[in-house]
Amino acid sequence: MAARPTRSPSKKQSPKYIFIVGGVMSGIGKGIASSSIGRILKSKGFKVTAIKIDPYINVDAGTMNPTEHGEVFVLDDGYETDQDMGNYERFLDDTLPSINYMTTGRVYQEVIRRERNLEYKGKNVQVVPDVPIEVIRRILEAQKLAHADVTTIEVGGTIGEYENILFLEAARMLKQKFPHDVAIVMLSYVPIPHNIGEMKTKPTQHASRELNSVGLQADVILARATVPLDQKRKEKIATFCNISPERVISAPDVESIYDVPANYEKDGLGDMLTEVLGLPKRKTDLSEWNAFARKVKNGNKELSIAIVGKYFNSGDYVLSDVYISVIEALKTAGFHNDSKIKLDYLDSEDFEDGKRELRSLARFDGIVVPGGFGSRGVEGIVAAVKYARENKIPYLGLCYGMQWQTIEYARNKAGLTGANTSEVDKKTPYPVIDIIPDQKEKMLNKNYGGTMRLGAYPCVLKKGTIASEAYGVKKISERHRHRYEVNPEYIKQLEEAGLVFSGRSPDGVLMEIAELPKEVHPFFLGTQFHPEFLSRPLSPHPLFLAFVKAARAHKEKK
Ligand code: GLN
């Protein structure tokens, strides 16, 4: 069946809001739940937009350490946000603006700015109701900007914490104002303790009471568990959480996040939400999405790709969340190349202290070096880049990965021994990567938050290169997040040594893509920007497609 065109329910239909809140504990997939709800409603032909609320004081996610908070996802307009915004863009196949992301810090900053501007006209400005009012103002503005029939609002954290209480108060106030237009979905966790071997609903009952204590009642409960819920558990949750058993949706572990929408639909979530919100009944059509979800797991060819990075380890755990958009972009490109991508996360420091031999890279069909900051592990990165170049293994460098690709080339092919980035070595004889002039002052003034070169910028491609062939157009737009660039003073030398700058800013000053000609290396390409932010399941990114294609060819040749 053809995809249903987006249309408004009716002229008179008021906009609808769905708050997604978490019970029992964090980390059980609120972001994917929100994204999946959005996808289901979009597939019914409703216009959907998605908001994320992070209760941190940080004004944006840009100042948070990735090993603590995960990936920093950059929007077109340059706002540095949480990785869930990436999930929303991928699931909704839409570009979201910065108004759709807010933190406690951002909200307070705005309230204080208004107070300083006398916009409260001399009255006392109070935490309640003025802070929730600002939260609601932002929600309504996001809805208006997107002309959304339905706006999903994911409230970070867990019910019962101090941190998100003002956001829950905003939900309560909005519901009081528009009782028929606001739904509350609680994502809860239903554990099966090892020693008991039985699914326990008590924590969910407590979470539901906590929610009641802030004046909210869940309309739907998504019960996360390792396995599907049986009817008995559904009834128990229903009785003690004050809803009907049909409103308890089973949300078991699934093989891939892309299976979640179909899984919710098994319990009829889409129709349930439209019923709660008084939206017209429409058929859910996830056929295109589900075809993707099926194939992403079952691609014909398996390709082994190494991600060589520096933000993997935290204590005894490996954190792949830091590179989630890179991983999703690779998987998506695999799907569109009929390949299943198998990823290995290699900590670049292991190449420095001999824990891992460079030769171990030989078995990979492709190597990716993603973005990063600072000096730890960079010599390991440069060694891996050199290995990929000399052994003709397809290489994709993203931001820092492109900068280290350039440094490697400078050191080993352009005779610039000791070349470096001034981010790591201020005294290097050859700063082939140097700070962007307008960033220097910001650094001197310790003006760090939200001041990098951020967001979408145009880039012009050079004809006859891998990049221009991959994109098939002359001018592109990609998202950025960096302070350093290829130093214009070394461009000529690097070009003479054979490196091709196949993408530049329209004024020709900033090098956006570096690559080697096809005759020299099948795929040795790096981008100053982050293409991973624009890859979507149903519209993959051309550079990731080209990289995976090269990895496939490399495997076939091996
Ligand atoms: N640290 C580098 C810079 O600031 C690269 C940043 C990145 O990889 N996002 O330019």
Side-chain angles (χ1 to χ4, degrees):
M1 205 174 99
R4 202 184 281 267
T6 298
R7 58 191 155 89
S8 286
S10 86
K11 281 274 172 302
K12 303 190 294 307
Q13 190 72 62
S14 48
K16 307 292 181 182
Y17 304 90
I18 303 176
F19 285 86
I20 295 102
V21 300
V24 180
M25 64 185 197
S26 66
I28 51 174
K30 264 197 312 288
I32 297 301
S34 304
S35 306
S36 300
I37 288 172
R39 183 78 217 178
I40 291 169
L41 293 172
K42 180 176 170 158
S43 88
K44 285 179 179 287
F46 297 111
K47 176 85 180 86
V48 178
T49 196
I51 293 176
K52 169 80 196 257
I53 293 175
D54 259 338
Y56 308 106
I57 298 283
N58 304 58
V59 172
D60 56 43
T63 53
M64 296 185 213
N65 183 339
T67 49
E68 254 178 58
H69 186 72
E71 173 185 85
V72 176
F73 188 83
V74 181
L75 303 178
D76 253 1
D77 60 19
Y79 204 45
E80 295 169 287
T81 72
D82 174 77
Q83 57 180 320
D84 279 325
M85 294 299 285
N87 285 323
Y88 303 163
E89 285 202 347
R90 286 187 285 271
F91 273 64
L92 295 176
D93 201 353
D94 202 358
T95 299
L96 299 173
S98 55
I99 190 75
N100 287 40
Y101 180 70
M102 70 182 106
T103 63
T104 300
R106 185 73 192 88
V107 171
Y108 269 88
Q109 195 183 45
E110 180 60 18
V111 170
I112 291 167
R113 187 196 66 75
R114 281 172 190 229
E115 184 275 332
R116 295 288 80 185
N117 279 2
L118 271 181
E119 287 179 38
Y120 291 97
K121 304 197 175 9
K123 77 176 181 65
N124 286 359
V125 184
Q126 294 179 300
V127 170
V128 179
D130 292 303
V131 173
I133 284 174
E134 169 59 16
V135 174
I136 291 173
R137 188 192 68 76
R138 300 179 79 82
I139 293 171
L140 301 186
E141 195 181 321
Q143 180 279 326
K144 210 181 272 158
L145 205 66
H147 304 287
D149 301 317
V150 182
T151 304
T152 62
I153 305 120
E154 178 190 346
V155 182
T158 311
I159 303 153
E161 292 172 349
Y162 283 121
E163 281 197 327
N164 56 18
I165 202 100
L166 292 171
F167 299 108
L168 298 173
E169 178 64 1
R172 190 195 63 77
M173 284 165 66
L174 194 66
K175 174 123 189 148
Q176 197 209 15
K177 195 161 176 205
F178 305 117
H180 306 296
D181 298 328
V182 176
I184 308 290
V185 172
M186 180 172 86
L187 181 77
S188 190
Y189 188 67
V190 193
I192 308 176
H194 256 322
N195 53 341
I196 306 177
E198 186 197 331
M199 198 179 252
K200 303 305 275 182
T201 63
K202 192 74 81 192
T204 297
Q205 299 175 31
H206 283 302
S208 169
R209 292 215 180 109
E210 281 285 352
L211 192 60
N212 294 158
S213 74
V214 294
L216 293 171
Q217 164 66 46
D219 296 293
V220 174
I221 292 178
L222 306 175
R224 281 284 292 115
T226 48
V227 294
L229 256 65
D230 56 7
Q231 193 56 27
K232 192 172 160 204
R233 282 345 103 153
K234 283 192 175 183
E235 275 164 19
K236 208 160 178 188
I237 290 177
T239 307
F240 293 106
C241 300
N242 220 14
I243 55 177
S244 66
E246 303 79 59
R247 296 275 187 91
V248 182
I249 304 276
S250 203
D253 287 348
V254 281
E255 206 183 323
S256 140
I257 53 170
Y258 302 116
D259 295 332
V260 174
N263 197 62
Y264 286 165
E265 276 305 89
K266 276 190 208 151
D267 278 357
L269 180 62
D271 286 346
M272 200 176 293
L273 286 171
T274 52
E275 189 195 307
V276 170
L277 291 167
L279 284 166
K281 208 175 162 118
R282 288 185 192 163
K283 204 171 162 311
T284 304
D285 179 11
L286 289 170
S287 47
E288 206 186 351
W289 183 264
N290 290 342
F292 166 77
R294 255 193 315 278
K295 278 211 211 156
V296 92
K297 291 181 289 193
N298 308 320
N300 257 334
K301 280 249 154 44
E302 185 168 283
L303 295 177
S304 280
I305 307 286
I307 300 189
V308 180
K310 47 184 288 186
Y311 299 121
F312 290 130
N313 299 323
S314 167
D316 290 339
Y317 300 94
V318 170
L319 305 161
S320 52
D321 259 14
V322 177
Y323 303 117
I324 179 166
S325 293
V326 178
I327 294 165
E328 294 307 315
L330 285 167
K331 279 202 234 161
T332 297
F335 156 72
H336 290 276
N337 267 302
D338 197 23
S339 310
K340 188 182 156 96
I341 306 289
K342 197 187 153 293
L343 292 171
D344 275 50
Y345 307 107
L346 311 183
D347 194 321
S348 59
E349 263 188 318
D350 291 353
F351 291 117
E352 294 177 355
D353 55 21
K355 254 200 227 150
R356 195 187 295 274
E357 283 199 63
L358 275 171
R359 265 189 320 185
S360 66
L361 288 171
R363 72 178 179 86
F364 290 103
D365 307 313
I367 296 172
V368 178
V369 172
F373 295 84
S375 56
R376 189 174 59 78
V378 293
E379 288 305 320
I381 287 178
V382 88
V385 176
K386 182 165 185 263
Y387 191 89
R389 182 175 56 75
E390 291 181 340
N391 294 282
K392 299 202 186 333
I393 304 174
Y395 173 82
L396 180 63
L398 306 169
C399 204
Y400 217 21
M402 176 266 204
Q403 296 179 352
W404 282 100
Q405 173 188 10
T406 308
I407 295 166
E408 189 282 320
Y409 206 77
R411 286 184 188 176
N412 301 315
K413 294 296 280 184
L416 303 172
T417 312
N420 214 317
T421 163
S422 50
E423 178 175 356
V424 169
D425 181 3
K426 297 237 169 339
K427 296 199 191 93
T428 168
Y430 307 113
V432 292
I433 304 294
D434 200 8
I435 192 148
I436 302 173
D438 73 352
Q439 290 285 333
K440 227 175 228 164
E441 203 180 323
K442 292 174 188 163
M443 291 297 90
L444 285 174
N445 297 329
K446 294 200 181 334
N447 183 9
Y448 297 120
T451 59
M452 284 188 234
R453 179 168 179 255
L454 290 168
Y457 284 93
C459 161
V460 180
L461 302 175
K462 186 175 173 158
K463 247 175 110 177
T465 58
I466 295 179
S468 99
E469 257 174 45
Y471 281 100
V473 291
K474 239 188 112 185
K475 200 167 167 188
I476 55 165
S477 170
E478 291 281 0
R479 295 183 188 171
H480 299 70
R481 182 169 188 254
H482 63 118
R483 287 193 204 283
Y484 295 80
E485 61 168 345
V486 175
N487 186 342
E489 281 175 33
Y490 293 94
I491 292 171
K492 199 158 163 271
Q493 249 170 302
L494 289 162
E495 281 178 332
E496 278 167 8
L499 196 62
V500 176
F501 291 107
S502 52
R504 295 172 196 236
S505 57
D507 61 8
V509 174
L510 212 134
M511 300 303 105
E512 295 277 26
I513 310 176
E515 63 178 83
L516 282 180
K518 254 203 193 124
E519 309 74 57
V520 180
H521 191 293
F523 194 99
F524 187 71
L525 183 146
T527 60
Q528 184 57 83
F529 49 80
H530 291 270
E532 67 270 25
F533 293 148
L534 292 186
S535 168
R536 311 258 169 86
L538 303 182
S539 43
H541 194 284
L543 285 183
F544 280 90
L545 282 180
F547 169 70
V548 168
K549 212 165 139 195
R552 237 185 110 147
H554 182 75
K555 181 174 178 142
E556 275 155 23
K557 232 169 84 186
K558 266 202 287 192

